[in-house]
Amino acid sequence: MKFWKTIGLILGFVGLCATSALAQKNVERTLDDIKKGNYGTPEQRAADLDKVMQQGLQLTKDQAPKVSEINLRYARRNETEVVQQQMGDWAKYRKISALQGEKDVELKKVLTTEQFKKYQKKRDEAIWQAVKSWFW
């Protein structure tokens, strides 16, 4: 059960890891923090994600504030709708997944096709890394 909680929180936080060296460090730090029960504030999680996305996707001056707003809104929603809720791990995982789907729809409107594909690839790699760290 703890596995699903960890994966759910990672899905919510890791929405993206953009450059390989920074992404690796960011995911490892995030996994360590989550395992210790330290999720950070929604504002911290959104700011960390903003930095990674800015570097990895080379966001334009027009895109950056829009992406930051989306990241902060969903970090806050994850906090109130998942982290602070008394629900089972599987329910948390499903809720995080649903929120991530909503966030992806919004990001797709802001990012170019190439940026969005890169975002998806790095997000999926980060999730896989989280799964592997749990089992191996």
Side-chain angles (χ1 to χ4, degrees), residues 74 92-104:
Y74 280 92
K92 285 184 179 188
Y93 171 77
R94 287 193 313 263
K95 183 63 177 178
I96 286 280
S97 295
L99 289 172
Q100 186 63 49
E102 291 176 29
K103 181 179 176 181
D104 286 354

Side-chain angles (χ1 to χ4, degrees), residues 1 3 8 44 51 69 79 82 89 92 94 98-99 107 120 123-124 129 131 133:
M1 294 303 266
F3 165 75
Q44 289 168 329
K51 289 176 192 172
E69 188 273 326
E79 183 73 19
V82 180
D89 293 341
K92 285 184 179 188
R94 287 193 313 263
L99 289 172
L107 286 173
Q120 285 180 308
R123 180 200 61 216
D124 293 347
Q129 182 179 351
V131 170
S133 78

Side-chain angles (χ1 to χ4, degrees), residues 70 73-74 98-111 116 119-120 123:
I70 292 168
R73 186 164 12 94
Y74 280 92
L99 289 172
Q100 186 63 49
E102 291 176 29
K103 181 179 176 181
D104 286 354
V105 169
E106 291 187 40
L107 286 173
K108 194 171 189 175
K109 293 175 184 175
V110 175
L111 303 174
F116 189 74
Y119 157 81
Q120 285 180 308
R123 180 200 61 216

Side-chain angles (χ1 to χ4, degrees), residues 11-41:
L11 276 172
F13 180 72
V14 175
L16 162 67
C17 291
T19 59
S20 56
L22 184 56
Q24 181 73 19
K25 180 180 177 186
N26 206 23
V27 171
E28 288 173 2
R29 181 175 45 105
T30 300
L31 288 171
D32 288 342
D33 286 347
I34 288 172
K35 287 178 182 176
K36 294 174 186 172
N38 177 19
Y39 311 119
T41 67

Side-chain angles (χ1 to χ4, degrees), residues 60-76:
T60 66
K61 290 181 182 181
D62 291 335
Q63 290 174 317
K66 293 175 185 174
V67 168
S68 290
E69 188 273 326
I70 292 168
N71 286 338
L72 181 57
R73 186 164 12 94
Y74 280 92
R76 287 178 174 158

